[in-house]
Amino acid sequence: MSTIENELFTVREEIPLELHMWRNNLGEVRKKTVIKALGGLFGLLKINPRKDIIEALIPLWDPAHNVFHFADFELTLTLEEIAGYVGFSGNLRNRYPVASRTVTPHKFLDLLSISREIQDGNLAKEFCTFYFLYRRYGNPRGFEMTDIGLTHSGNKDKWEDRRGLAFIVAFLSVLICPRKDRNIELGLVRIADLMTKKANGTIVPMILAEIYRALTVCQEGGNFFEGCNMLLQLWMEEHLFHYPGYMNCGMTGLKCIEKHEQRVGAMSFRMVRNHGLHT
């Protein structure tokens, strides 16, 4: 099916190999910093996206009430469930909600220790490419390069710190707030910066809002899912193949996403036209 006639429906189905390589060569210290900021979301790098699940869910979405209507029941994704995937439970009111805001090109470059003199026409349009960041911070030899406009003054420790920040920006752009053109919104650097600095910060409300917004846009005819399709996919799989022992959101901590396959086993979906998702 397609939400727009003659135009294919798409979601973010491929995680760039470079993002996996970046993760693998972050180093243990920097990786701990990234995991502290991202929590259990880090496990999304090990999940295989399923476009068919998201595509089948869209006709069932009720944007007026933010629920999925199945044949004889309703379901909706909650803040507490997303918090469980992120790896914490408890009172979300005690946490600082982090969300995207407009960031000027100069602020974006300053936070990433990149010279304001760098020439890139995309920055004025409030985005950069994935490879703009990868060339400077994903490449383990980026510190040695002399033509990429970094402002570390030979300080490799500062470069390593910015590697973690840039990785979080790239991660958010690929898995949490993807764009159809695969570019990176400059505003994501503010989210990444706050996630590394505020111990009680959380992007859980932002994730839920982005999923709801993407569902509504697609239901109204949009052909690209701009929210976190992989979290929605995991949530739906677990609700249709729910093990009685897994009821408490967050009970598996930071390993919640990584242990998803263990919870749902080897079961699979089959799509039934006009009736939604069935096991």
Side-chain angles (χ1 to χ4, degrees), residues 154-170:
N155 188 331
K156 190 170 184 178
D157 289 337
K158 187 175 182 180
W159 178 77
E160 288 286 359
D161 285 339
R162 293 301 182 270
R163 284 196 82 201
L165 179 66
F167 176 86
I168 295 172
V169 173

Side-chain angles (χ1 to χ4, degrees), residues 140-160:
R141 298 180 63 86
F143 178 73
E144 303 171 10
M145 301 174 69
T146 59
D147 62 340
I148 54 178
L150 299 181
T151 60
H152 302 117
S153 300
N155 188 331
K156 190 170 184 178
D157 289 337
K158 187 175 182 180
W159 178 77
E160 288 286 359

Side-chain angles (χ1 to χ4, degrees), residues 12-23:
R12 189 62 188 249
E13 290 189 275
E14 295 182 2
I15 300 175
L17 175 61
E18 291 85 354
L19 191 63
H20 288 290
M21 295 168 58
W22 195 344
R23 173 202 62 189

Side-chain angles (χ1 to χ4, degrees), residues 210-231:
E210 288 297 306
I211 290 175
Y212 280 3
R213 182 180 65 84
L215 283 165
T216 299
V217 168
C218 290
Q219 232 255 356
E220 293 175 349
N223 69 321
F224 176 72
F225 193 89
E226 295 183 358
C228 187
N229 56 291
M230 293 169 68
L231 270 184

Side-chain angles (χ1 to χ4, degrees), residues 195-206:
M195 289 170 69
T196 58
K197 292 177 178 177
K198 281 188 172 290
N200 67 334
T202 177
I203 60 173
V204 167
M206 184 191 78

